[in-house]
Each structure stands twice: as C-alpha cells, then as structure tokens.
Amino acid sequence: MNSATQARKGLSRKAKENLIAYSFIAPNFIGFSLFTLVPLIFALVLSVLSWDGSNPIEFVGFDNFVRMFKDKTFWQALQNTLLYTAGVVPMTMAAALGLALLLNQKLRGRNFFRTVAFFPYVASLVAVAAVWSFLFSPTRGPVNQVLHMITNLPVSKLPGWATDKNWAIPTVIFFSIWKTMGYYMVIYLAGLQNVNPELYESASLDGAGAINRFRYITIPQLAPTTFFVLMILIINSFKVYDIFITIFAGADNVLSGTTRVLVYQIYNAAFRSLNYGYASAIALVLFLIVLIITIIQFKGEKKFGE
Amino acid sequence: MSKSKKAAVRIILYLLLLILALVMLTPFAWMLSASLKLSKDVFLFPIQWIPENPRWSNYSDIWSKIPLGIFIANTAKLTVIITLLQLFTSSFAAYAFAKLRFKGRDLLFMGYIATIAVPWQAYMVPQFIIMSRLHLNNTHTAIILLQAFSAFGVFMMRQFYQSIPDELCEAARIDGMSEYGIYAKIMLPLSKPALSTITIFTFVAVWNDFLGPLIYLTKTELKTIQIGLRMFISQYSAEYGLIMSGSVIALIPVLIVFLSLQKYFVEGVASSGLKG
Amino acid sequence: MNKPFLRSLAIIVCLALLSACAGSSPPAANATQAPASQVEATVAPVADPTAAPTVEPTPEAPADNSVSLKWALWDKELTIYYQALLDAYKAVKPDVTIELLDLGSADYNTVLTTQLQGGDDIDIICIKDIPGYANLVKQNFLEPLNSYISSNNVDTSLFGGTVEQLTVNNDVYTLPFRSDFWIIYYNKDLFDKAGVAYPANDLTLDQYDALARQVTFGEGPEKVFGAHYHTWRSAVQLFGVLDGLHTIVDGSYDFLKPIYERVLKEQDDGIVQSYAELKTTGTHYSAAFFNNQIAMMNMGSWFIATQIAKVESGESFSTNWGMAKYPHPDGVPAGTTLGTITGISVSSHSTKKDEAFDFVNFVSGPEGAVVIASTGTIPAIKNDDVVAAIASLPGYPTDEGSKEALKTVKTVLEMPLHDKSADIEIALNEEHDAIMTYSITVDEGIKNMNERVAEILAN
C-alpha cells in the first residue's frame, strides 16, 4: 500500500463523495464563474456605486435605490412586466403541454407538425412581428374584420391591439405565446419520453380513464420538467425586451406607458444614460424577485418529490 | 369507443393540426415572399403574398454585397463548438446536482438558477472588460467562453435526470461501477431526448445570437450571419428584401438540425433502460 | 449509446473541424468573395521591412514611417464617402494606413462605449449624435482639440457657428464633417393628380397643414396621404423650436402644445398615417414615398442621395419629385430649418494623436468637404459651391425651386449640446411616443415632460 492510497483512505467517505461531486461540476462551474458569475457579481455590487464606465467609481450607498423607488417609470415598468408574466406563464405552459401531449401521439406526419410548431420560435422576429401586425391591424387586419362580421361593431369600437394602450399587453402576451410555445413544447416532449409506458398499461388494466391517467401518472412523472418550464418561463418573462421593442418601438427605439418593461429601463440606464449603478440596482431587484420565486418553487418541488 | 367515433376524433384532430400548422407557417410564408421583394414592398399593406415580379436576384445579391460565405462559416464553427462544449459540461455537472449528495448542493443550485435571471445587459460591460484584459476581444474564443458554460443547460439536464429512477444508479453502484461510469454508461444513453433538446436550443441560440458577436467581433473576417444581415440596416434605410433572403438561407441549417434530432424523441427510453 | 447517435455526433464534430478550418483561413481565399470587406486602405507598402531598402533607398524615409490608424464608424459597406475620403487622403499622406472599424449604425453608441471601456486601441471616432457626443466627453474618451486647432491653424469660421455649438467648457472635442438639414420632399405626380400647385419655398406651418389637406385623396389601399411624419420625435416635435424662442433642453415644454394639437388633428382627419400603425407595422418613410402613397414628407437632406439612387434603380416609383424649404412658424424667415451634425474626433487613448488629428482635419476641412459633396452628401463646410455641386448631381430635380430649397438661412440643432442631453432625450422620446399613440393627452404629456426634465436638470 503506497502513501497515496493511504492518504485517500485518510479522507472520510463524505469528503470523498464531495470531491467526486465537485469534479462533476467543475468543468461547467469554472467557466461559468469566470465569465458569468464574476462579472455578474461585479454588476450587482455596482448597485451601491456610481460609475459611468470610465471615470472613477464612487460609493453612493442606497442612492440608486432611493432614486429607483421615486422613479414613476420604474414602477410602470415593474407593473407591466408583472402583468405580462402573469399572462404569459400559465397560458404558455398550458399551450405547450397540450401541444406536447398531442404531438407525442402516434400520428402521421408527427415530425412535420412538431417542426411547424417550433417554427415561430426560430423564424426571424421581424418576420413574426410583421405577420402579427398584419393579422392584428386595427383597421385592415383579418382579425378585426372577422370581429366586425360577428359583432357588427364599427372598427373604431373594436380593439386597437398593439396600437391601443389598453390592448397592448394582451396583444403582446398572445404574440409571445404563439412565438414560444413550440420551444416549451420541445422541453415537454423530452420530458414525456421519460414517462414509463408500463404505468399507463397497468393503469388502463385497473380501469383508470384518460383523465385519471393524466392526473395520476403524467403530471407527477412530469413534475421535474414542469418545474423547469415554469422557472424558465418566469425568468424569460421577467427578462422580456426584444419582443416589446420589435412590436412597439418606433424609429427612436423607445417604449412608453403600458409598453415599458424592466429590461428596457436597465438598457436605458446602462447604455443611454451611462449610469451603470442605476442599471444594476434595477437588475438587482429583478434578481431578487426571481431568487425568491426560485426558493419557493424549489422548496415546493422537494416537498412534492417526497 | 366505436370505430366510427374514433375515426371522427381522428379527423377533427388532423383538422386542428392543419389549422395550427397554417397559423404557425405564416411567418415563414411571409419571409419567403418578402425575400423576393424590393425593400419598399416588404411592409406594404395589404400583404402581397405572391410578389408580382419576384426578385430572385436577392438570393444572389446577398452573397456579393456582404461576405456571407465567411459569415456562415464563422457561425457554423462557433455553433458547433459551443454546442458540443455545452452538451458535455451541462450533462456532466447536472449529474452531480441530480444524483449525488454533497455539501452546498441546494445552495449552489439555487444560485445557478437565479443567475439566469440577471439580464445580460446588466453585466455585459464588466464581462467585456474581463475579456479585453485577457486579450480575447475580437476572437472567436471570447464568444465560445461566453456561451459554453451556461446555467440553463445544467438546470435542464438536472431536471431530466431527476425523472430517471434512482434505483438504476443504486444498482450500478452495488455492482461496483464508479460515478463516472454510471454517468457515461447509464445516464447519457438514457438522456437522448434531453441531449437532443439542449443541442437544438444551443444551436438555435448561438446561430441566431446577435448582441454577443456585435460587441465582441468587430473585424469583418470574424463576424457572424446575424451581424451580417444587420449590415443591410443602415442609419437612414434598410434593405428588408435582402435581409429576408439571408434569413431564409440562415434558417435552413436550424431546420435540418431540428428534424434530424426528432428520432431521439422516442417514448419510454428510461423504462427500456430499467429492463435492460 | 447506440450507433446512429454516435454517428451524428461524429458528423457534427467533423463539421466543426471543417468550419473551423474555413473560418480561420484568412483573406487570401476570401478576398475574391469579399471585396467590400477589404475597404482597409493599405496605403503604404507596410510589408516586409527587408524589401523596403530596394524600393526606397533614401535613408530619410525608412519603412517605419508608416502609421496605421483605427477609425470607428458605422455603415461601412453602405456609405460611399468613406472610401472616397480614404483615397483622397492616401494621395496626400501615402504613409498612413487607416483601418475601418464598422460598429453598425443601430447600436453604434452602445458598441463604441463598450469597446472604449474595454480599452480598444481606437484612434479616430465618428460622432453619431449629440447625446452620444455629450456622453463620450463626460467619460473623457475624446481628446480636447483646441490646442490642435490653433497649432494647425484650422479656420473654424468655415463651419458657420457649429464648432461653437459643440464646445463644452471652452473646449471642443469634435469637428463636424457632415451636416444634414431638414427639407420637404414632394411627389409632383400626386400634386398634378390632385390639381394642386407644388409647394412653394416659403410655407408657414399653417400653410403646410392646409396644403397637406388639399393633396389628400382616394380611399383604401389607393389612398394618398397629404403629408407623412416618420416615427422620430424630431419629425413632429421640433417644428416647435424653429422660432428660436425655446430649445428642447429648456425644461419647459408648454410651447409644444399647438404643434402636437395640429399633428394629432391631421392624424384624426386621415391626412397623415397614424403614428401607432406606422410603428407597429415597421413602415419606413422611404417605402411610403417610393410607393406614391404620400404627397409630401418632411425629412433630412440625407434622403436626397437615396431617392436619386432608387429612382435610377427603378425601386422608387416616385420618379417625378421635388424639394421645398422646411415649413416655419409665422414671423420666422423661410430657410430656417433643423440640422443634425456628424462629427469626427480623436480618441483620448490614442497613442498617435497628431497623426489622428491630421486625418480628422482633412476629413472635416475644405478638401474633405469637396470629396463628401461629390458623393451627394452635404458636408459641414457648406458654401454656395457645395450647394451648387449637389444640385447639379445627375438625377437631382431640375426645377429652380428644388435647387433653391437647399439654401438655408438658419439651422437649429435637433438636440443642442447639454450635459444631460442623453437623459433629456429619453424622457422626451418616451412622452412623445405616449402622446402620439393617444396613451396620454397632450396636456398630460407636456406636464410629464416638464416634470421629468426638471428632475433630470436638478440632479
């Protein structure tokens, strides 16, 4: 027995297990911490500093937060982002799960339909937005023409969709569902492949109906996937920016009123006003909201799993 | 259910799918039709789905107006390298998070997820400064290092591993297999649907990435497709016909990858492993 | 793992290697496909110092005389004058090589600041707009030019007062090389169809409004709109500053009320397309003008070169067109208009500031102005010769009125230089958007502008 093995034996079983685990994480974690975590922590520290990217950094305490809480546009952006998230998350989840269940059946042309559902996600945002603005044009779009035929209301009484402050958020929610449900469908499809078909067979033998099979087999078996989809959907909804800019921004590239979102505020603060401290303060709020949701969800998942 | 009733359900199902397909395909139809138009007609109302005088020359012009060949080669290189690294590092790290118990696991994991929430705009500048200090500005390495180690991939793989029964690992451990062996011989073969998903997502994300390359790659010979296409948008005008023909070309590899990975979305992979 | 999966992995690896090779094989192979990417003006024979003596035996000029400069700009491929300027400079200074760094137009300020913060070795910087300029000055990324200006005997009076407008704390950090101003473009065929006389070179805002109403006709997709406001704030709001009584950084915006009321009324009456629909459909003003959908349009002089080129290529159906002076408030002389400046600066981090300034001086000076004017763009040094040169370009409307339209008496900067111009611009742009989409009333919008800008100015 040489000294090396002795040394290894010297390690407790626990320490050895830890080491093995860390060795699994290391390749990702080293790269991740160096190129994402370090700059990210630096950015969050900036929230108590004042920095324009060039001149010396100054400590300003909670000034950035005080300013943020007094800033009407911040509250507007937070409110819009929350509204958007509240609409997008459940509906996208339902649509994606429905699509996945449907396209997990043995169907003719299944691959074709799966690809088609994924399509709006990969198509250029400009193209998707152009089609959308055509379909939902208040005066000339097919959607309002159909509504006009059904309700017989004049066009001016029909929703103005993206051009109307009251309809802006619902419009962008529908747009987002349409564009991204194929993406979440793919995740659900991957998750569904892990459901043991024997469970269904034995349940069928026991006389369980389709609804019960869904409730007692599919849903619990899909729990980890659902947790993932839920978290990613929430995070992506909080970080929404591109979709709003593409649909609502004119040539000056600004958002206002009901179309303002949090990341837009961050973008403005960082790159238009060169106020990195203020941008970081908003980012920190975003981070904390998601962190709290994560902790709640994570605890829930653990309970659910036991 | 009677046979005729079953047939009726099927027909309704297919009808529904066809309508869905139609709605989902309109952006693509729009892209195709826009790619054959003059810029001024692209956003013309009402949409002219079949252009009167299709400009096939858009498809040849984009190759001569920008070095599209180089851009495609650059994008392909970045996409493939990043996807492979991402597949390896994510699936590897996720194994520890899903199947091993170690100190600080839950804390580390929650930290991982929460970092996804910080928008890139917030830490883009510090990140760029680090890369510049390492003299990696204007190299493909910068983009690779930026995107190859994502928390997203780890999160996704962990969730997938969790639905694979722990009994499989336990049995292997009793047989004397090392953790690395379990990862390579048991988990990986069972996670083809998840690996395929990561491949698709990473491929799409890197292929369509715009902001990263925009900031890091300012030399023409290093640029990628999405920056190339933006070259047609200038301060006071935009060549949308050309942009769309370029976008159609750029879409083809993505669709090929998606279609070719479809065969790994096969039901009951995990249970078949349980039996074997 | 089964075979097919491994096989596809193997294919992906091969693809990676292949494309890695393709990606790293540099210019030689690519040069033929990408002539445009090689704009880099290799002026001096920078190659091989050992070969230099045989080419240039004089000991006074060794090979290390050559200087290479990096110039940050946007739209390299689509702007004609960059190459023309490089060619002209090469004739004067054959030893200087200038590398063009294209940072794109849409995100130019963002990418530029990031590059400078990362410590990029940029020597020469193009200035895209005033808020961007103010920010770069605050960040100390620009070299103050006063000492260079005096030691090189630069005559700043040639710029007609713009250098003074660009001065911050007694120092100027950029020299303008391009200066655009706003005019009216009109479609003669549509005026003929409506039976209305062409716009004169002296229109008040009320006359412009009345004229727009006269030339609006037709229904549905064939409808012709009398005027057109692009989705920029400047296209609408800045009619209010032409009288010189107010500026956009004052902090008080009550004077904008009549401006907004007039334009919103036009929108309500269907004289112009609605702002909200224009922005959600992504309509570009040039498309509307090319497709004979609008009779008049207020737009910057940059559109002249585009319109001429697109008539020639057949893309613009508005082949019979003209220009008129910008509409103005009562009591203000015709020829008063809005202007916007593009500047060129020396980076404060440059190690070759003298060489960089020499190029800056060339581009912004009289020689550069001639080159820029020859490409159909209006240089910052704008005298009668320059105006005559542009008005005699092939494709320029031949009527006297259109030639006269280029003569300005006073140009008000779209955004005057101010320490806080970036923040003020955001606030104004956002409130403008809210007013134009009817999200808030004109009064609410103006109240918000007053409050928000007061807040910005107080900090």
Side-chain angles (χ1 to χ4, degrees), chain A residues 28-107:
Chain A
N28 187 283
F29 191 72
I30 292 172
F32 174 77
S33 36
L34 199 57
F35 301 110
T36 304
L37 206 56
V38 170
L40 196 144
I41 290 170
F42 178 70
L44 295 183
V45 169
L46 271 177
S47 60
V48 291
L49 305 172
S50 164
W51 190 46
D52 69 353
S54 167
N55 289 307
I57 299 179
E58 269 176 67
F59 179 76
V60 293
F62 290 103
D63 283 8
N64 289 322
F65 295 93
V66 172
R67 186 182 148 196
M68 181 168 75
F69 291 129
K70 281 201 290 194
D71 185 352
K72 265 194 234 163
T73 64
F74 165 76
W75 290 108
Q76 220 171 18
L78 181 65
Q79 187 192 341
N80 294 337
T81 310
L82 288 172
L83 266 175
Y84 170 82
T85 306
V88 157
V89 173
M91 287 201 266
T92 310
M93 231 165 130
L97 180 59
L99 264 180
L101 288 171
L102 188 63
L103 294 177
N104 203 34
Q105 316 275 332
K106 290 195 175 60
L107 289 168

Side-chain angles (χ1 to χ4, degrees), chain A residues 298 302, chain B residues 97 102-111 158:
Chain A
F298 195 70
K302 283 208 132 173
Chain B
F97 282 122
F102 61 92
K103 224 178 131 200
R105 182 179 79 167
D106 292 352
L107 197 72
L108 195 60
F109 182 66
M110 274 190 281
R158 173 200 181 257

Side-chain angles (χ1 to χ4, degrees), chain A residues 5 25 59 62 66 75 96 115 134 159 189 207 213 225 252 254-255 285-286 304:
Chain A
T5 35
I25 296 172
F59 179 76
F62 290 103
V66 172
W75 290 108
T115 314
F134 159 73
L189 273 177
R213 270 180 313 201
T225 311
D252 286 322
V254 294
L255 300 174
V285 168
L286 195 64
F304 197 77

Side-chain angles (χ1 to χ4, degrees), chain A residues 54 94 132 138-139 157 162 172 181 192 194 204 211 232 234 254 268 285-286:
Chain A
S54 167
W132 189 257
T139 49
K157 290 260 163 54
V172 78
M181 65 180 176
L192 280 172
N194 250 4
S204 287
I211 293 170
I232 294 297
I234 291 175
V254 294
N268 266 353
V285 168
L286 195 64

